[in-house]
Amino acid sequence: MTDLKDVTRPPDWQDDVRQGVRHVRDLAALPLSPAERAAAQEAASRHKVRAPKAYLDLIDWNDPADPIRAQVIPSLGELEETEGELGDPIADHEFSPVPRLTHRHADRVLLFPTYQCAVYCRFCFRKESLTSIGRGYTREALEPALAYIADHSEIREVILTGGDPLSLPDKALAEIFARIEAIPHVRLLRIHTRVPVALPSRITSGLVAALQGRLMITVVTHFNHAREITPATEMACRTMRQAGFVLLNQSVLLKGVNDTVEALEELCRELMYRLGVKPYYLHHGDLARGMAHRRTTIAQGQALVEALRARLSGICNPVYVLDLPEGGGKVPLGPCPIEGRDGESWRIRGQDGAVRDYREIVGE
């Protein structure tokens, strides 16, 4: 007979949240030096701090340059604003016709069911909105946005973002899904989330069941470093794949975290080969205030993605993009291989660095 006391209980995601960092005062329990603790507390008094225990457990506290530590432990660099940085770097508010919705592109909208996250990333381009708004989910708050979607038949895709939509309870997710699914012209629901990375215990059968129905589901995860890929995140991604969800990943290029070709190569390869998650975008750092210390130059990013193309198969390569200010959208920044053109003759640089002639041959 099996002794039930010896059966390992699956981790409860809410316990994981409660045992992590949820307030500035919780930073006192972390193994930080007095100077680093004081700096973290000062920065966290300006921008929210939160990290589940599972994510904090990945940090090597003996390494001041640990890539996970850099993403969640506040630092004084966040308080050093540089001229030209923006409070709303991609113009979410400018393109918001009703509360909790951004309509920047004709066929898709961003829907913000919550402005709360399971983990507050220090580099987040919405950190000022999350800190100042801080509102959770209510049915009433979403009504104007859902009515807007229903009234605009050109909308084919709804993107749940925030905040982190998967930090909501299953019941709330099921309600949101049902309301969107009932709008006939919507065909795909996309979910942007850090939960599979920082709180993988949240990916449960109940969550999956809440998102089953007519709509195609695409989950866009946010892994930035291979150290974030663990047996728990592997299980979470397998659960979503088996549910039929399409899994993509978008990373942010961060100085001191993943700004080497070796780090990006390992991340992209493990995402595809181990998790079954397609590397989708590699974002150049947005012009969020206080993030100059984490941004690389565009030229550095171009050199990195050019090196990646020589090391990885096409399916493992993300597109390097910049989300332009003033709502200009995402534009690819990858280096251009075209060296010149004369009519139908082109000079194109191959992956081996050699430039070759290519002549277009087109029929009548």
Side-chain angles (χ1 to χ4, degrees), residues 203-335:
I203 308 301
T204 62
S205 58
L207 181 149
V208 167
L211 300 172
Q212 294 287 331
R214 171 183 67 85
L215 297 173
M216 178 68 70
I217 301 294
T218 297
V219 176
V220 183
T221 63
H222 187 165
F223 290 85
N224 286 322
H225 196 277
R227 283 267 310 285
E228 296 171 325
I229 299 175
T230 67
T233 62
E234 187 175 0
M235 180 177 296
C237 290
R238 182 182 299 117
T239 297
M240 293 187 290
R241 289 203 326 271
Q242 291 174 344
F245 300 170
V246 176
L247 301 186
L248 307 173
N249 186 74
Q250 53 184 355
S251 303
V252 178
L253 182 57
L254 297 167
K255 185 187 297 184
V257 173
N258 58 11
D259 59 333
T260 67
V261 68
E262 292 80 12
L264 289 175
E265 178 184 7
E266 184 181 10
L267 169 64
C268 293
R269 181 174 283 121
E270 292 305 297
L271 281 169
M272 193 69 245
Y273 293 173
R274 182 173 174 185
L275 301 187
V277 177
K278 169 72 178 80
Y280 174 43
Y281 284 142
L282 175 64
H283 286 266
H284 186 74
D286 292 301
L287 292 176
R289 291 190 182 122
M291 281 295 100
H293 65 293
R294 290 294 174 205
R295 279 192 294 270
T296 68
T297 66
I298 290 175
Q300 288 170 324
Q302 288 177 320
L304 286 169
V305 296
E306 187 169 28
L308 276 185
R309 287 200 61 82
R311 294 176 178 228
L312 296 172
S313 68
I315 199 170
C316 294
N317 270 279
V319 178
Y320 181 40
V321 295
L322 170 65
D323 219 329
L324 285 171
E326 301 177 359
K330 296 178 181 64
V331 293
L333 295 178

Side-chain angles (χ1 to χ4, degrees), residues 90-214:
I90 64 172
D92 280 337
H93 302 310
E94 182 179 344
F95 289 85
S96 180
V98 296
R100 297 197 180 225
L101 182 139
T102 294
H103 194 180
R104 196 163 23 235
H105 306 289
D107 67 339
R108 57 200 183 275
V109 295
L110 301 178
L111 181 64
F112 300 82
T114 179
Y115 290 98
Q116 298 173 348
C117 291
V119 58
Y120 288 114
C121 304
R122 308 320 303 172
F123 52 86
C124 180
F125 66 91
R126 290 195 178 111
K127 65 193 302 180
E128 295 194 32
S129 294
L130 300 181
T131 293
S132 62
I133 299 174
R135 296 193 299 269
Y137 165 74
T138 66
R139 297 186 190 94
E140 295 74 20
L142 281 187
E143 285 302 327
L146 292 168
Y148 180 94
I149 295 168
D151 289 341
H152 286 75
S153 60
E154 73 274 18
I155 296 172
R156 297 287 184 269
E157 183 174 339
V158 174
I159 302 167
L160 299 186
T161 185
D164 196 315
L166 295 191
S167 66
L168 294 173
D170 295 343
K171 182 179 179 181
L173 288 172
E175 290 176 347
I176 295 166
F177 179 88
R179 292 295 304 277
I180 296 171
E181 185 179 46
I183 301 173
H185 51 263
V186 176
R187 301 184 63 187
L188 186 145
L189 181 66
R190 197 198 313 176
I191 300 169
H192 286 195
T193 177
R194 191 92 152 108
V195 158
V197 183
L199 188 61
S201 57
R202 174 67 188 99
I203 308 301
T204 62
S205 58
L207 181 149
V208 167
L211 300 172
Q212 294 287 331
R214 171 183 67 85

Side-chain angles (χ1 to χ4, degrees), residues 42-69:
E42 182 176 350
S45 66
R46 171 81 175 271
H47 299 294
K48 287 183 178 180
V49 61
R50 176 173 287 186
K53 181 179 184 298
Y55 197 63
L56 292 171
D57 285 347
L58 300 180
I59 296 174
D60 178 358
W61 295 105
N62 294 317
D63 180 6
D66 181 89
I68 297 170
R69 181 184 193 139

